[in-house]
Amino acid sequence: KHNVNYEIKNDGVEFIYSVKYLSSKGQENMIDSEVNRLLNNEFAGWENMHDYEKVRMVYKWMTSTFKYVEGDNNHSTYSGIINHRTVCQGFATSMYRLLGEMGLNVRLIANSDHGWNIVQLGRYWYSLDATWDVGKSENRWEYFLPAEIDFDIS
């Protein structure tokens, strides 16, 4: 983790900004390379697919490749795309990166306990949460574009 702190003083009011980076420049370069490799190999042909097929393909790859592993260094796109060992934040940022690279309109949604994604297909937005479907076969997915979803994890 990389922290940057800024202090700005204006008319006696002090503003302190703290920015926390979850990956280094070198790790970001590795992510870029791996994303390009995935687009040209595992996801080859994505340019000619319907948006639904793209989402399904990435979701299937993530739920069969990633593992949910807690730890201080498992909260980033790097821990997901490179190490395949991450928590919900890494799942959601990895999904965001991959679907975004494919031209989809995707967002990361988070509360104090969990992170997931929404993706636009046609005129509508749909939720998806690869974290809770990790390790499940496709016919057992519960969080892939559900009609309704309750993220109350208490």
Side-chain angles (χ1 to χ4, degrees):
K1 295 180 181 176
H2 309 279
N3 294 317
V4 178
N5 296 306
Y6 296 96
E7 293 184 25
I8 300 172
K9 294 183 180 181
N10 186 6
D11 295 331
V13 177
E14 183 176 321
F15 298 93
I16 301 173
Y17 296 94
S18 179
V19 179
K20 182 190 283 186
Y21 293 95
L22 296 176
S23 54
S24 68
K25 174 82 169 129
Q27 289 172 329
E28 289 297 319
N29 289 338
M30 290 175 69
I31 294 166
D32 291 344
S33 294
E34 181 62 7
V35 167
N36 287 330
R37 190 194 71 72
L38 288 166
L39 291 173
N40 292 309
N41 292 284
E42 283 88 336
F43 306 145
W46 65 268
E47 302 96 328
N48 300 316
M49 293 180 182
H50 183 275
D51 287 347
Y52 172 84
E53 293 170 312
K54 295 175 192 175
V55 175
R56 183 179 157 273
M57 176 177 58
V58 171
Y59 197 88
K60 185 174 187 174
W61 178 78
M62 286 180 62
T63 57
S64 64
T65 305
F66 284 25
K67 302 237 182 296
Y68 184 91
V69 179
E70 293 183 1
D72 288 341
N73 295 322
N74 291 348
H75 292 260
S76 67
T77 308
Y78 180 85
S79 65
I81 290 179
I82 302 299
N83 296 333
H84 305 160
R85 299 166 55 87
T86 193
V87 295
C88 59
Q89 184 174 350
F91 276 89
T93 59
S94 296
M95 183 73 72
Y96 177 84
R97 176 65 190 270
L98 291 167
L99 294 180
E101 289 287 334
M102 293 180 178
L104 277 82
N105 202 0
V106 60
R107 300 288 185 271
L108 190 145
I109 307 296
N111 61 30
S112 60
D113 298 315
H114 192 59
W116 64 97
N117 301 95
I118 58 172
V119 64
Q120 187 176 21
L121 296 173
R123 297 185 343 217
Y124 301 101
W125 288 87
Y126 299 89
S127 294
L128 64 159
D129 187 349
T131 305
W132 287 356
D133 279 333
V134 71
K136 294 180 184 176
S137 59
E138 188 172 353
N139 63 341
R140 307 276 300 171
W141 289 346
E142 297 177 63
Y143 299 94
F144 177 73
L145 311 176
E148 249 183 60
I149 196 161
D150 180 6
F151 284 112
D152 180 14
I153 60 172
S154 54

PDB file of all heavy atoms in Angstrom, residues 1-2 20-24 27-28 72-73 75-78 89 93:
ATOM      1  N   LYS A   1       0.848  -1.172   0.000  1.00  0.00           N
ATOM      2  CA  LYS A   1       0.000   0.000   0.000  1.00  0.00           C
ATOM      3  C   LYS A   1       0.891   1.232   0.000  1.00  0.00           C
ATOM      4  O   LYS A   1       1.912   1.269   0.661  1.00  0.00           O
ATOM      5  CB  LYS A   1      -0.899  -0.002   1.221  1.00  0.00           C
ATOM      6  CG  LYS A   1      -1.873  -1.153   1.217  1.00  0.00           C
ATOM      7  CD  LYS A   1      -2.736  -1.128   2.434  1.00  0.00           C
ATOM      8  CE  LYS A   1      -3.671  -2.321   2.379  1.00  0.00           C
ATOM      9  NZ  LYS A   1      -4.473  -2.450   3.543  1.00  0.00           N
ATOM     10  N   HIS A   2       0.470   2.217  -0.745  1.00  0.00           N
ATOM     11  CA  HIS A   2       1.248   3.433  -0.900  1.00  0.00           C
ATOM     12  C   HIS A   2       0.389   4.608  -0.484  1.00  0.00           C
ATOM     13  O   HIS A   2      -0.705   4.798  -1.002  1.00  0.00           O
ATOM     14  CB  HIS A   2       1.710   3.578  -2.348  1.00  0.00           C
ATOM     15  CG  HIS A   2       2.373   2.327  -2.857  1.00  0.00           C
ATOM     16  ND1 HIS A   2       3.674   2.032  -2.591  1.00  0.00           N
ATOM     17  CD2 HIS A   2       1.892   1.290  -3.566  1.00  0.00           C
ATOM     18  CE1 HIS A   2       3.984   0.872  -3.138  1.00  0.00           C
ATOM     19  NE2 HIS A   2       2.903   0.399  -3.739  1.00  0.00           N
ATOM     20  N   LYS A  20      -4.583   6.588  -0.580  1.00  0.00           N
ATOM     21  CA  LYS A  20      -3.966   5.277  -0.381  1.00  0.00           C
ATOM     22  C   LYS A  20      -4.024   4.502  -1.689  1.00  0.00           C
ATOM     23  O   LYS A  20      -5.102   4.258  -2.225  1.00  0.00           O
ATOM     24  CB  LYS A  20      -4.702   4.498   0.704  1.00  0.00           C
ATOM     25  CG  LYS A  20      -4.073   3.135   1.007  1.00  0.00           C
ATOM     26  CD  LYS A  20      -4.950   2.279   1.892  1.00  0.00           C
ATOM     27  CE  LYS A  20      -4.874   2.731   3.315  1.00  0.00           C
ATOM     28  NZ  LYS A  20      -5.603   1.821   4.215  1.00  0.00           N
ATOM     29  N   TYR A  21      -2.871   4.154  -2.209  1.00  0.00           N
ATOM     30  CA  TYR A  21      -2.785   3.345  -3.422  1.00  0.00           C
ATOM     31  C   TYR A  21      -2.655   1.884  -3.018  1.00  0.00           C
ATOM     32  O   TYR A  21      -1.874   1.548  -2.139  1.00  0.00           O
ATOM     33  CB  TYR A  21      -1.583   3.768  -4.263  1.00  0.00           C
ATOM     34  CG  TYR A  21      -1.722   5.156  -4.828  1.00  0.00           C
ATOM     35  CD1 TYR A  21      -1.179   6.247  -4.171  1.00  0.00           C
ATOM     36  CD2 TYR A  21      -2.405   5.369  -6.013  1.00  0.00           C
ATOM     37  CE1 TYR A  21      -1.312   7.520  -4.674  1.00  0.00           C
ATOM     38  CE2 TYR A  21      -2.535   6.647  -6.538  1.00  0.00           C
ATOM     39  CZ  TYR A  21      -1.996   7.713  -5.861  1.00  0.00           C
ATOM     40  OH  TYR A  21      -2.138   8.975  -6.369  1.00  0.00           O
ATOM     41  N   LEU A  22      -3.412   1.023  -3.665  1.00  0.00           N
ATOM     42  CA  LEU A  22      -3.362  -0.396  -3.353  1.00  0.00           C
ATOM     43  C   LEU A  22      -2.366  -1.154  -4.219  1.00  0.00           C
ATOM     44  O   LEU A  22      -2.147  -2.338  -4.008  1.00  0.00           O
ATOM     45  CB  LEU A  22      -4.750  -1.014  -3.494  1.00  0.00           C
ATOM     46  CG  LEU A  22      -5.795  -0.474  -2.514  1.00  0.00           C
ATOM     47  CD1 LEU A  22      -7.155  -1.079  -2.811  1.00  0.00           C
ATOM     48  CD2 LEU A  22      -5.388  -0.738  -1.080  1.00  0.00           C
ATOM     49  N   SER A  23      -1.791  -0.474  -5.214  1.00  0.00           N
ATOM     50  CA  SER A  23      -0.802  -1.125  -6.065  1.00  0.00           C
ATOM     51  C   SER A  23       0.239  -0.103  -6.504  1.00  0.00           C
ATOM     52  O   SER A  23      -0.039   1.092  -6.578  1.00  0.00           O
ATOM     53  CB  SER A  23      -1.475  -1.779  -7.278  1.00  0.00           C
ATOM     54  OG  SER A  23      -2.259  -0.848  -7.973  1.00  0.00           O
ATOM     55  N   SER A  24       1.386  -0.602  -6.824  1.00  0.00           N
ATOM     56  CA  SER A  24       2.485   0.255  -7.271  1.00  0.00           C
ATOM     57  C   SER A  24       2.414   0.438  -8.788  1.00  0.00           C
ATOM     58  O   SER A  24       1.656  -0.247  -9.478  1.00  0.00           O
ATOM     59  CB  SER A  24       3.820  -0.383  -6.891  1.00  0.00           C
ATOM     60  OG  SER A  24       4.013  -1.569  -7.648  1.00  0.00           O
ATOM     61  N   GLN A  27       3.180  -2.830 -10.406  1.00  0.00           N
ATOM     62  CA  GLN A  27       2.041  -3.745 -10.366  1.00  0.00           C
ATOM     63  C   GLN A  27       0.981  -3.338 -11.390  1.00  0.00           C
ATOM     64  O   GLN A  27       0.380  -4.200 -12.037  1.00  0.00           O
ATOM     65  CB  GLN A  27       1.449  -3.791  -8.961  1.00  0.00           C
ATOM     66  CG  GLN A  27       2.343  -4.494  -7.973  1.00  0.00           C
ATOM     67  CD  GLN A  27       1.847  -4.369  -6.543  1.00  0.00           C
ATOM     68  OE1 GLN A  27       1.231  -3.371  -6.167  1.00  0.00           O
ATOM     69  NE2 GLN A  27       2.138  -5.382  -5.738  1.00  0.00           N
ATOM     70  N   GLU A  28       0.762  -2.037 -11.553  1.00  0.00           N
ATOM     71  CA  GLU A  28      -0.197  -1.567 -12.560  1.00  0.00           C
ATOM     72  C   GLU A  28       0.258  -1.964 -13.960  1.00  0.00           C
ATOM     73  O   GLU A  28      -0.560  -2.348 -14.800  1.00  0.00           O
ATOM     74  CB  GLU A  28      -0.393  -0.048 -12.468  1.00  0.00           C
ATOM     75  CG  GLU A  28      -1.169   0.384 -11.240  1.00  0.00           C
ATOM     76  CD  GLU A  28      -2.591  -0.141 -11.207  1.00  0.00           C
ATOM     77  OE1 GLU A  28      -3.271  -0.145 -12.261  1.00  0.00           O
ATOM     78  OE2 GLU A  28      -3.040  -0.546 -10.128  1.00  0.00           O
ATOM     79  N   ASP A  72      -4.072  -8.548   4.142  1.00  0.00           N
ATOM     80  CA  ASP A  72      -3.803  -7.128   3.898  1.00  0.00           C
ATOM     81  C   ASP A  72      -3.482  -6.814   2.449  1.00  0.00           C
ATOM     82  O   ASP A  72      -3.769  -5.723   1.969  1.00  0.00           O
ATOM     83  CB  ASP A  72      -2.654  -6.643   4.785  1.00  0.00           C
ATOM     84  CG  ASP A  72      -3.077  -6.522   6.235  1.00  0.00           C
ATOM     85  OD1 ASP A  72      -4.292  -6.466   6.505  1.00  0.00           O
ATOM     86  OD2 ASP A  72      -2.184  -6.490   7.102  1.00  0.00           O
ATOM     87  N   ASN A  73      -2.876  -7.728   1.726  1.00  0.00           N
ATOM     88  CA  ASN A  73      -2.466  -7.468   0.353  1.00  0.00           C
ATOM     89  C   ASN A  73      -3.454  -8.018  -0.668  1.00  0.00           C
ATOM     90  O   ASN A  73      -3.117  -8.127  -1.845  1.00  0.00           O
ATOM     91  CB  ASN A  73      -1.074  -8.058   0.098  1.00  0.00           C
ATOM     92  CG  ASN A  73      -0.032  -7.371   0.945  1.00  0.00           C
ATOM     93  OD1 ASN A  73      -0.079  -6.163   1.148  1.00  0.00           O
ATOM     94  ND2 ASN A  73       0.900  -8.144   1.469  1.00  0.00           N
ATOM     95  N   HIS A  75      -6.647  -6.832  -1.544  1.00  0.00           N
ATOM     96  CA  HIS A  75      -7.773  -5.914  -1.730  1.00  0.00           C
ATOM     97  C   HIS A  75      -7.710  -5.166  -3.058  1.00  0.00           C
ATOM     98  O   HIS A  75      -8.376  -4.157  -3.220  1.00  0.00           O
ATOM     99  CB  HIS A  75      -7.803  -4.886  -0.590  1.00  0.00           C
ATOM    100  CG  HIS A  75      -8.144  -5.486   0.726  1.00  0.00           C
ATOM    101  ND1 HIS A  75      -9.405  -5.421   1.262  1.00  0.00           N
ATOM    102  CD2 HIS A  75      -7.401  -6.183   1.612  1.00  0.00           C
ATOM    103  CE1 HIS A  75      -9.416  -6.046   2.432  1.00  0.00           C
ATOM    104  NE2 HIS A  75      -8.215  -6.511   2.660  1.00  0.00           N
ATOM    105  N   SER A  76      -6.949  -5.642  -4.004  1.00  0.00           N
ATOM    106  CA  SER A  76      -6.706  -4.853  -5.206  1.00  0.00           C
ATOM    107  C   SER A  76      -6.965  -5.631  -6.494  1.00  0.00           C
ATOM    108  O   SER A  76      -7.107  -6.850  -6.483  1.00  0.00           O
ATOM    109  CB  SER A  76      -5.259  -4.368  -5.207  1.00  0.00           C
ATOM    110  OG  SER A  76      -4.382  -5.463  -5.361  1.00  0.00           O
ATOM    111  N   THR A  77      -6.966  -4.891  -7.578  1.00  0.00           N
ATOM    112  CA  THR A  77      -7.042  -5.503  -8.901  1.00  0.00           C
ATOM    113  C   THR A  77      -5.837  -6.412  -9.105  1.00  0.00           C
ATOM    114  O   THR A  77      -5.958  -7.489  -9.695  1.00  0.00           O
ATOM    115  CB  THR A  77      -7.085  -4.407  -9.987  1.00  0.00           C
ATOM    116  OG1 THR A  77      -8.130  -3.493  -9.662  1.00  0.00           O
ATOM    117  CG2 THR A  77      -7.325  -4.992 -11.370  1.00  0.00           C
ATOM    118  N   TYR A  78      -4.694  -6.011  -8.591  1.00  0.00           N
ATOM    119  CA  TYR A  78      -3.473  -6.823  -8.706  1.00  0.00           C
ATOM    120  C   TYR A  78      -3.662  -8.182  -8.026  1.00  0.00           C
ATOM    121  O   TYR A  78      -3.341  -9.218  -8.601  1.00  0.00           O
ATOM    122  CB  TYR A  78      -2.286  -6.076  -8.085  1.00  0.00           C
ATOM    123  CG  TYR A  78      -0.996  -6.838  -8.154  1.00  0.00           C
ATOM    124  CD1 TYR A  78      -0.202  -6.779  -9.294  1.00  0.00           C
ATOM    125  CD2 TYR A  78      -0.567  -7.622  -7.089  1.00  0.00           C
ATOM    126  CE1 TYR A  78       0.988  -7.487  -9.372  1.00  0.00           C
ATOM    127  CE2 TYR A  78       0.611  -8.332  -7.156  1.00  0.00           C
ATOM    128  CZ  TYR A  78       1.384  -8.261  -8.297  1.00  0.00           C
ATOM    129  OH  TYR A  78       2.560  -8.974  -8.378  1.00  0.00           O
ATOM    130  N   GLN A  89     -13.350  -6.645  -2.721  1.00  0.00           N
ATOM    131  CA  GLN A  89     -12.857  -5.443  -3.386  1.00  0.00           C
ATOM    132  C   GLN A  89     -12.032  -5.797  -4.616  1.00  0.00           C
ATOM    133  O   GLN A  89     -12.174  -5.180  -5.673  1.00  0.00           O
ATOM    134  CB  GLN A  89     -12.020  -4.608  -2.415  1.00  0.00           C
ATOM    135  CG  GLN A  89     -11.541  -3.305  -2.996  1.00  0.00           C
ATOM    136  CD  GLN A  89     -10.828  -2.442  -1.959  1.00  0.00           C
ATOM    137  OE1 GLN A  89     -10.839  -2.729  -0.774  1.00  0.00           O
ATOM    138  NE2 GLN A  89     -10.214  -1.385  -2.424  1.00  0.00           N
ATOM    139  N   THR A  93     -13.040  -4.765  -8.392  1.00  0.00           N
ATOM    140  CA  THR A  93     -12.167  -3.917  -9.215  1.00  0.00           C
ATOM    141  C   THR A  93     -11.651  -4.677 -10.432  1.00  0.00           C
ATOM    142  O   THR A  93     -11.461  -4.093 -11.494  1.00  0.00           O
ATOM    143  CB  THR A  93     -10.991  -3.342  -8.403  1.00  0.00           C
ATOM    144  OG1 THR A  93     -10.202  -4.406  -7.850  1.00  0.00           O
ATOM    145  CG2 THR A  93     -11.486  -2.419  -7.302  1.00  0.00           C
TER     146      THR A  93
END
